[in-house]
Amino acid sequence: MIQYKINEIFETIQGEGSFTGQPSIFIRLQGCPVGCSWCDTKHTWDIELSDEVTKETLLAKSQETSQWATFTASDLYSLIIERGYKAKHIVITGGEPCMVDLTPLCSTFDNKGYSTQVETSGTFDILVPEACWVTVSPKVNMRGGYAILESAMKRANEIKHPIATEQHVDDLKALLAEHAIENTPVYLQPISQKSRATELAIETCIANNWRLSVQVHKYIGIE
């Protein structure tokens, strides 16, 4: 039985991509070696044994930390019921959640009437059930040196690409051409809500018939 290293669990509104506005339960896993310079969850990168805490300690924390605790899929489902969460959409994120097999986790919730979504960099094999919605946010030429897998690009239900410069747009176009991606919805997401990045994203979306993802949760001030 897989023990998942969990950094936090919370209920909110999905603020990105196709499910923007959807009430969602976020399950954030600890660990990511990709090394994105603009990452807003850098506290989830390292898996230090000294940061392992009890489930009770993890659930009581009130701010972002690198602490994590282990949960099975059954543990997570029981916790969500205990907390009385109403959302029926599960978002599995990180960190890089695809460092581990997510099939048991997704299947547990699928079998209970939830929908599941995984957010991944596309640099690890995506082990999820067919029903799971996969958001690939391809991280090109990052510090960790990981390549984007063709299997990840082909599995994506949507591609969500953070941009701030024309180079980021060029990187995405090259990636789409390399893997012959034509019909998968593409979202551009301005990095850090900067005005120039937003203008570039809007212009590029119109020119390519892509979609804009503006991280609604950050604009309205929720987690």
Side-chain angles (χ1 to χ4, degrees), residues 28-84:
R28 188 179 303 284
L29 275 66
Q30 187 75 15
C32 181
V34 178
C36 305
S37 59
W38 61 81
C39 177
D40 55 7
T41 57
K42 291 183 178 180
H43 60 285
T44 67
W45 285 8
D46 299 323
I47 300 175
E48 301 289 351
L49 292 180
S50 59
D51 283 331
E52 184 176 10
V53 296
T54 65
K55 294 178 176 64
E56 293 73 21
T57 298
L58 182 81
L59 297 173
K61 71 178 184 179
S62 58
Q63 60 185 4
E64 293 181 347
T65 74
S66 57
Q67 291 178 325
W68 55 272
T70 58
F71 291 76
T72 65
S74 179
D75 290 336
L76 290 166
Y77 174 71
S78 296
L79 173 65
I80 284 169
I81 296 303
E82 289 169 9
R83 286 190 161 188

Side-chain angles (χ1 to χ4, degrees), residues 3-223:
Q3 296 279 344
Y4 295 99
K5 295 177 175 62
I6 304 298
N7 179 276
E8 61 177 338
I9 306 154
F10 57 94
E11 186 176 45
T12 186
I13 297 292
Q14 170 64 286
E16 303 176 1
S18 298
F19 287 95
T20 294
Q22 176 80 39
S24 302
I25 299 163
F26 277 69
I27 299 175
R28 188 179 303 284
L29 275 66
Q30 187 75 15
C32 181
V34 178
C36 305
S37 59
W38 61 81
C39 177
D40 55 7
T41 57
K42 291 183 178 180
H43 60 285
T44 67
W45 285 8
D46 299 323
I47 300 175
E48 301 289 351
L49 292 180
S50 59
D51 283 331
E52 184 176 10
V53 296
T54 65
K55 294 178 176 64
E56 293 73 21
T57 298
L58 182 81
L59 297 173
K61 71 178 184 179
S62 58
Q63 60 185 4
E64 293 181 347
T65 74
S66 57
Q67 291 178 325
W68 55 272
T70 58
F71 291 76
T72 65
S74 179
D75 290 336
L76 290 166
Y77 174 71
S78 296
L79 173 65
I80 284 169
I81 296 303
E82 289 169 9
R83 286 190 161 188
Y85 289 160
K86 302 300 184 184
K88 287 294 186 177
H89 184 64
I90 306 293
V91 181
I92 304 168
T93 186
E96 173 45 72
C98 290
M99 290 172 64
V100 295
D101 184 355
L102 298 173
T103 305
L105 180 55
C106 293
S107 295
T108 294
F109 286 101
D110 290 343
N111 293 336
K112 298 293 185 179
Y114 292 78
S115 57
T116 56
Q117 176 185 4
V118 169
E119 299 182 339
T120 175
S121 63
T123 57
F124 288 82
D125 289 328
I126 301 171
L127 303 177
V128 298
E130 185 177 351
C132 180
W133 182 274
V134 175
T135 301
V136 173
S137 184
K139 301 303 189 291
V140 181
N141 297 325
M142 294 296 131
R143 187 180 69 183
Y146 287 82
I148 309 300
L149 302 182
E150 180 173 10
S151 61
M153 294 296 290
K154 297 294 188 184
R155 177 61 179 82
N157 295 105
E158 66 178 356
I159 293 169
K160 179 164 59 68
H161 192 61
I163 69 163
T165 67
E166 292 282 0
Q167 184 61 55
H168 294 143
V169 176
D170 292 343
D171 288 343
L172 176 59
K173 288 181 176 179
L175 196 62
L176 296 176
E178 177 185 353
H179 298 294
I181 304 298
E182 297 180 354
N183 299 317
T184 306
V186 173
Y187 286 84
L188 294 188
Q189 189 161 286
I191 293 175
S192 302
Q193 299 84 50
K194 293 182 179 178
S195 58
R196 177 59 194 132
T198 302
E199 291 168 6
L200 175 62
I202 292 170
E203 294 167 2
T204 306
C205 284
I206 292 172
N208 294 275
N209 199 30
W210 293 343
R211 305 176 187 185
L212 184 68
S213 176
V214 294
Q215 294 185 293
V216 168
H217 56 292
K218 293 188 177 180
Y219 280 97
I220 62 178
I222 61 175
E223 189 170 11

